[in-house]
Each structure stands twice: as structure tokens, then as C-alpha cells.
Amino acid sequence: MKIAVIVFPGSNCDIDLYEALKAVCGADVDYVDHQQTSLAGYDAVMLPGGFSYGDYLRAGAIARFAKIMPEVKRLADEGKPVFGTCNGFQILTEAGLLPGALKKNDSQNFVCKTTPLEVVNNQTIFTSQYQEHERINLPIAHADGSYFADQATLDELEANHQVVFRYAEENPNGSLNNIAGICNRAGNVLGMMPHPERAVEAILGNTDGLRVFKSLLENGTVIAEG
């Protein structure tokens, strides 16, 4: 399985994603610049956190027009795994690959801390190594992390089991339905505000994010092999 980590101007978690996959999981992973126009040969794509294009206009709003994004959409349409964390989640919603939007935190402040989550759906290719309703802890670091959608979209997300992670115990940003991460209807595109790539090594005090990548590699290899 070959994985691409997209690098946008302003990305600052691309290295975290790369090292989580390469150094910790031993995956075959490359950096791919946002100006590239092909993802040929890649079996999965990762959109990192950070501040793509300085978050001008709106977080993720300019990145959606990057030259690489038609290829990201192509992989998603082909059923290949597409993952976005934090700013990557914002880009996925702006690009229409996931429903809804991420708006300013209710507090109007940047929030950076470790927060409890509930694994709501463990039947995705990204969460199969978790238990349903398992409580985990992952870091968050965002100012525009409050998930918003109209009621019809929220009802559809809940009915189709597209809510993958939910904030537990407290809601740090005002996300509707305590949503921390969602997937598309097919289950191959996942966006989440928390950073699993920052919780993959015991030396950092937390490995609760590691199973996102182990799940992806386990299931994605099957997808890549057809």
C-alpha cells in the first residue's frame, strides 16, 4: 500500500503524519506537493493539519482549489482511503468530499489540549481496531473546529452511521451533536478535528491514535490488492 501525504503552503502536521506512518508503522509513504497533478500509483491520501494558505478567506477554502485536489477527489470516488485531520478535515468539507462545515469555536479561542473521544463507528477502514463506544484520548489544536450542518444533514449522518468520533465528557468547540469526526456514505473518506498522528508513541505518553493508522494499513492493503 502506497500512501501520499499532501503538503500545502502552511501545512504544519505533514511531518507528523509522515512519521506516524513511516517511522512508527513502517508504511510506504511519500510527501506530495500541492502543485502536483497526479496521484497515480497511490492507494491512499492524507491531508494534514495546519493552516493551508494561512487560512485566508476561511480555513480550507483556498486549498480546495489546489492543483492536486482533483486527484484527491478521483481517489475518493474510486473508493480509495482519503483521510484529513484538523485543517485536512476543513479542506475535505470545503471540497465537498464530506458534508457540513467547520466554523469558529464557540469560545472564539484557539483550543489546544488532549480531549476524550468516543469511537462511535468502528466499522470503517480507519477504525476497525477500536471497540465500539471505546473511550480514547487524542490531542486537539484548532480555532475553527466547531462542526456545523443543517438538521437534515445531521439526521442523515446519524442514520447512516457516518459519525465516527464524538467528543465525550465535554465539547471543546461547540460542534453540533458533539461531532469530532465523520466519514462519507461509502466509508472511505474520514475527516476528524483531533490529531491521531500526535498520539502514536508511548514516549509521548499516548498511543490512542495509533490504531487509526494500523486499521488503515490493515484494511487498505486489501483494497490496494483488489
Side-chain angles (χ1 to χ4, degrees):
M1 184 183 187
K2 192 170 183 179
I3 304 170
V5 173
I6 308 301
V7 182
F8 298 95
S11 295
N12 66 10
C13 300
D14 44 345
I15 297 174
D16 302 62
L17 271 177
Y18 181 94
E19 293 299 331
L21 288 161
K22 181 74 172 181
V24 180
C25 296
D28 184 2
V29 56
D30 295 323
Y31 292 117
V32 176
D33 188 79
H34 66 107
Q35 297 186 83
Q36 296 299 312
T37 57
S38 175
L39 287 172
Y42 289 100
D43 304 299
V45 60
M46 320 290 282
L47 305 184
F51 304 90
S52 60
Y53 299 90
D55 278 350
Y56 288 113
L57 299 182
R58 189 173 57 249
I62 299 177
R64 64 166 292 193
F65 295 108
K67 291 181 179 179
I68 197 63
M69 288 306 293
E71 281 290 274
V72 175
K73 186 177 187 302
R74 178 182 65 82
L75 262 65
D77 291 343
E78 291 177 357
K80 301 290 181 63
V82 175
F83 172 80
T85 177
C86 200
N87 189 230
F89 186 13
Q90 294 160 346
I91 295 169
L92 290 173
T93 59
E94 291 289 337
L97 292 174
L98 289 174
L102 284 307
K103 63 180 183 65
K104 289 286 185 186
N105 299 341
D106 280 3
S107 66
Q108 298 296 300
N109 294 320
F110 183 87
V111 179
C112 182
K113 62 181 180 179
T114 296
T115 190
L117 301 174
E118 176 190 0
V119 181
V120 181
N121 182 354
N122 71 335
Q123 299 300 307
T124 78
I125 57 178
F126 306 95
T127 56
S128 60
Q129 293 200 7
Y130 293 100
Q131 298 297 312
E132 187 177 11
H133 303 306
E134 181 178 352
R135 295 294 182 94
I136 62 174
N137 295 291
L138 290 180
I140 58 171
H142 57 252
D144 301 83
S146 180
Y147 182 79
F148 180 85
D150 60 32
Q151 192 58 53
T153 299
L154 290 172
D155 291 344
E156 184 175 346
L157 288 173
E158 298 289 357
N160 295 328
H161 307 290
Q162 290 174 246
V163 177
V164 180
F165 296 100
R166 215 185 294 274
Y167 296 111
E169 298 178 19
E170 65 169 335
N171 185 326
N173 51 38
S175 288
L176 296 181
N177 292 22
N178 296 323
I179 287 173
I182 61 172
C183 65
N184 64 342
R185 185 73 178 269
N188 65 301
V189 179
L190 171 67
M192 59 189 297
M193 287 310 297
H195 289 271
E197 75 280 7
R198 295 182 181 179
V200 295
E201 294 182 282
I203 195 171
L204 299 177
N206 186 358
T207 60
D208 282 356
L210 182 57
R211 282 175 284 167
V212 168
F213 305 105
K214 286 191 171 182
S215 296
L216 168 64
L217 292 170
E218 178 182 59
N219 297 302
T221 299
V222 175
I223 295 172
E225 293 176 351

